[in-house]
Amino acid sequence: MLCGAHCSGGVKKAIDRAVEIEADSLQLFVQSPRAWRFPDHDPADLAAFRERRAEAGLEGVLVHCLYLVNLATPKDDFYEKSVYTMRRTIEVSSAIEADGVVLHVGSHLGAGFEAGMERVAPALEQILEGTSDTTWLLMENTAGTGGTIGRSIDELAAIFERMDRHPRLGICLDSCHLYASGCDITDRDELDRLLEEIDSTFGLDRVRALHVNDSKAPLGSNRDRHDNILEGVMGEKLGVFLGHPAFQGLPAVLEVPGHDGHGPDAGEIRKLRELHARWA
């Protein structure tokens, strides 16, 4: 398993942070995560990222989409900005040869899943045009808050089929979101059933990355509250998820507070590796 973390610093500095905390894989933003303005990256910086990645030996690199993106929104201004931002994100991610771009599909804001799908489908058609054999688009499952799309494998599978099983469309599974949405991934039998469902709809080869987060909120709460490894309600039993044979070899990225609230650190990476070793 490629134990890694979401690291701050963007294209210029995220790799330095990943090396500092001894990560095998990396997730980063290629713009400010909470502002629409998309920067004009210097091609020299993108080339330097590729070179630095090779030097550092990072085996998995993911780019996370802007938090504001909502491909299901009925609001035209938000929709247009979301599609534009995702197209630019894919463009830069392909230029740095990232392995995947992680997407929160968005929320229908009460309009209903089918109405949301009518917005999501044409947006994804445009966004997927920019993907490559190197850089896939990865839909992330959600905790199920409000009108968010992706709270179940069924919802993600419906998008997948609508996109005619596009060859560069995959999924990123978030452990905290699965647990919060009611899937007890600390139970091997239930986790096996989840993976059987994924295999019968997407195919397990479409699972391209993991977000490994403990949860502050209880099973089925629909609350997205990440916690540090071994400090949340899943605790040691998060190892059931980490150790599953289907997930070995994947980038497993931490999105946790860290000991000081400033994000994943070397201690969290160490705990992740040790937990994986106990259960793999």
Side-chain angles (χ1 to χ4, degrees), residues 95-106:
I96 63 172
E97 297 178 0
D99 300 287
V101 175
V102 178
L103 168 68
H104 292 179
V105 177

Side-chain angles (χ1 to χ4, degrees), residues 177-191:
H177 297 174
L178 284 168
Y179 194 77
S181 67
C183 180
D184 187 359
I185 59 169
T186 69
D187 181 287
R188 178 59 186 264
D189 289 340
E190 187 161 348
L191 181 57

Side-chain angles (χ1 to χ4, degrees), residues 58 64-65 128 146:
L58 289 171
H64 199 291
C65 77
L128 285 164

